[in-house]
Amino acid sequence: MTLSSPASGDGSPAAVAARLTGRAVTRVRPLSGALAEAALDDGRTVVVKRAAEAEAARAEAAGLRWLAEAGVPPVPRVHGREGVWLVLDRVAEGRPDREAALRFGRELAGLHAAGAPAFGAPPPGGPAEAFIGLAPMRNVTGDDWPAWYAEHRVLPYLRRAVDEGTMDAGEAAVVERVCARLPELAGPAEPPARLHGDLWSGNVLWGADGRVHVIDPAAHGGHRETDLAMLALFGCPLLDAVVEGYQEVAPLAGGWRERVGVHQLFPLLVHAVLFGRGYAGLVLGVARSAPAL
């Protein structure tokens, strides 16, 4: 089906794709309630994405552009944003393989080395009141990672989990004790890294070009071990090779494996708030696994 040129204000995926790419759209294929593929008259295919609200789309567009500035790993090009809509390049997917995993690890190290002005720094043009998936994520800056991570990542979600009955006060106290120990648990001080920020396996696309592309960032300045801990959280294919490639370029500080749980506290609390009590046990598990120093 060939689609005609859209009128201004038309909110269909075809119309948005046409306006933001400047090309006629020849076909649209829905992928989900919030995603569609649009074929353009020049042979390219783009993805049209509808965010939950305009600020989420703004945050994602700013994050993708900030990651793209680092040069690696590849991210979809942003054709434009219009209100809640984003139009992005489509990534042709392939299959995981070891060489791509090693390269991804090296490129992730390069992304982190691009740096950020401070912990919690949002991407240029991105909102301070940002998002991680469907959840709010406030980008307030700080110079000391343990204090910043506790105050602006872990504790706000812990309080919300208690307020909503997802966790009780005794369970919260276990996490609070870890937060109090963060200065000793965090390992050697690290400069702020440029993070993807939501680097679970669903946001890692193994491309047909033999490279790993990353999508849907919650980009901000943070600790580089956080991205690696997110990769481990729900299982990334060939993670050992990813870490091997990373270590070739930017060796991690000693004891990093024992700190993985500390970095997973925030995303697990986000899941507990969004999806309920089932994640509270995982939160407690990683809190109780914090090493005794």
Side-chain angles (χ1 to χ4, degrees):
M1 173 176 67
T2 301
L3 303 172
S4 59
S5 299
S8 177
D10 184 344
S12 69
V16 172
R19 285 197 296 272
L20 293 181
T21 63
R23 307 296 309 193
V25 173
T26 60
R27 179 177 53 84
V28 169
R29 182 169 72 94
L31 302 176
S32 70
L35 289 173
E37 282 186 353
L40 307 179
D41 64 353
D42 61 1
R44 292 177 297 153
T45 301
V46 294
V47 171
V48 185
K49 180 175 181 180
R50 183 185 179 98
E53 55 183 275
E55 285 296 87
R58 176 185 164 203
E60 182 173 344
L64 286 169
R65 288 172 173 139
W66 195 45
L67 299 188
E69 286 176 5
V72 289
V75 299
R77 182 163 68 96
V78 180
H79 289 274
R81 178 183 71 88
E82 181 181 281
V84 298
W85 295 97
L86 283 173
V87 175
L88 313 167
D89 276 343
R90 180 178 64 87
V91 177
E93 294 190 57
R95 302 181 68 176
D97 67 69
R98 178 172 169 78
E99 286 306 310
L102 288 166
R103 181 172 182 174
F104 176 44
R106 293 190 288 264
E107 292 185 337
L108 184 61
L111 170 64
H112 292 165
F119 297 111
E129 301 296 336
F131 296 84
I132 179 166
L134 297 175
M137 185 184 77
R138 194 158 187 254
N139 282 325
V140 176
T141 60
D143 297 322
D144 176 67
W145 184 80
W148 170 84
Y149 183 64
E151 182 178 356
H152 299 296
R153 290 295 183 263
V154 177
L155 293 177
Y157 270 92
L158 183 64
R159 295 185 192 108
R160 183 170 164 183
V162 172
D163 290 345
E164 295 175 358
T166 305
M167 298 178 69
D168 63 35
E171 293 167 335
V174 176
V175 180
E176 288 168 345
R177 286 194 289 272
V178 174
C179 287
R181 297 177 58 213
L182 277 173
E184 62 188 79
L185 293 174
E190 296 258 358
R194 188 170 305 192
L195 295 191
H196 176 282
D198 192 12
L199 199 60
W200 71 289
S201 58
N203 288 339
V204 172
L205 299 184
W206 300 81
D209 59 0
R211 299 180 71 186
V212 173
H213 301 241
V214 296
I215 61 171
D216 296 349
H220 63 281
H223 195 300
R224 64 191 180 123
E225 291 176 15
T226 299
D227 269 350
L228 293 168
M230 281 289 289
L231 282 174
L233 185 56
F234 298 117
C236 175
L238 300 170
L239 181 57
D240 287 348
V242 175
V243 173
E244 181 182 336
Y246 191 101
Q247 297 264 47
E248 290 174 6
V249 174
L252 295 160
W256 70 270
R257 292 186 186 276
E258 287 70 40
R259 294 189 291 272
V260 167
V262 167
H263 290 272
Q264 290 176 343
L265 277 175
F266 170 58
L268 284 173
L269 281 163
V270 170
H271 277 73
V273 167
L274 289 179
F275 305 117
R277 176 70 188 170
Y279 284 95
L282 295 175
V283 172
L284 290 171
V286 298
R288 288 171 174 150
S289 71
L293 300 177

